[in-house]
């Protein structure tokens, strides 16, 4: 929340048509830039083997995590974003899809490959979004 200048710049990116895939702190900063709020967790999520559920498919992925703050679900404007992933253990938000935008954010680290590269599809999806934006 103290990164006010960065949050203002992220808001400018949100208002553009730039495809964005934000991870971890980027997930939180994008939420803050669009009016949501965060709060400090008692213990945080650290290390590997954290199950996250994709709400669209119902699949559960094993993730790597390193964060002490989460987005407060009740502060997300439903006209701006919808929850796409949740933490299976404590039901905290692990991902957001932004409506009418080419933006997806995740709290976990899909680049860390904690399992058999289960969430690599997120990067493929982002590459497709960038190609689509370039051709538009």
């Amino acid at each position: 929340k103290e990164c006010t200048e960065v949050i203002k710049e992220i808001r400018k990116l949100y208002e553009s048509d730039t495809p964005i895939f934000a991870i971890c702190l980027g997930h939180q900063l994008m939420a803050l830039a669009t009016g949501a709020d965060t709060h400090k967790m008692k213990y945080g999520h650290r290390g590997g083997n954290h199950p996250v559920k994709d709400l669209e498919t119902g699949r559960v992925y094993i993730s790597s995590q390193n964060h002490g703050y989460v987005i407060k679900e009740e502060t997300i404007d439903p006209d701006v974003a919808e929850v796409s992933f949740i933490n299976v253990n404590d039901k905290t938000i692990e991902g957001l899809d932004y409506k009418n935008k080419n933006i997806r954010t995740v709290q976990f680290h899909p680049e860390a490959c904690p399992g058999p590269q289960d969430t690599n599809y997120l990067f493929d999806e982002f590459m497709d979004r960038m190609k689509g934006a370039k051709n538009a």
Side-chain angles (χ1 to χ4, degrees):
K1 293 179 193 180
E2 295 176 8
C3 301
T4 56
E5 292 303 314
V6 173
I7 292 169
K8 286 179 190 174
E9 293 301 313
I10 291 171
R11 180 65 194 196
K12 290 178 190 175
L13 287 171
Y14 170 80
E15 292 170 354
S16 75
D17 289 328
T18 304
I20 296 170
F21 180 40
I23 297 170
C24 198
L25 180 59
H27 164 75
Q28 293 175 27
L29 291 172
M30 180 60 73
L32 290 166
T34 57
D37 195 11
T38 59
H39 69 91
K40 185 173 177 58
M41 303 173 77
K42 186 171 184 176
Y43 298 108
H45 293 160
R46 311 272 184 238
N49 297 324
H50 288 264
V52 295
K53 183 176 183 178
D54 181 332
L55 296 179
E56 183 178 335
T57 66
R59 279 191 77 175
V60 174
Y61 299 98
I62 300 303
S63 70
S64 177
Q65 302 204 15
N66 186 24
H67 61 96
Y69 289 82
V70 291
I71 297 168
K72 294 180 185 178
E73 186 168 7
E74 66 276 9
T75 66
I76 299 168
D77 182 340
D79 293 330
V80 172
E82 64 185 358
V83 177
S84 57
F85 287 91
I86 60 166
N87 186 292
V88 174
N89 293 329
D90 62 12
K91 308 299 185 235
T92 55
I93 296 171
E94 292 285 349
L96 292 172
D97 283 332
Y98 286 79
K99 296 182 177 182
N100 303 312
K101 293 288 182 179
N102 226 349
I103 301 171
R104 169 175 263 192
T105 67
V106 292
Q107 182 65 70
F108 57 94
H109 288 272
E111 79 283 6
C113 299
Q117 301 178 347
D118 287 351
T119 53
N120 274 354
Y121 77 93
L122 293 169
F123 293 102
D124 295 335
E125 177 187 272
F126 179 60
M127 295 296 288
D128 289 342
R129 288 179 181 208
M130 287 194 309
K131 288 175 190 171
K134 187 175 182 180
N135 295 331

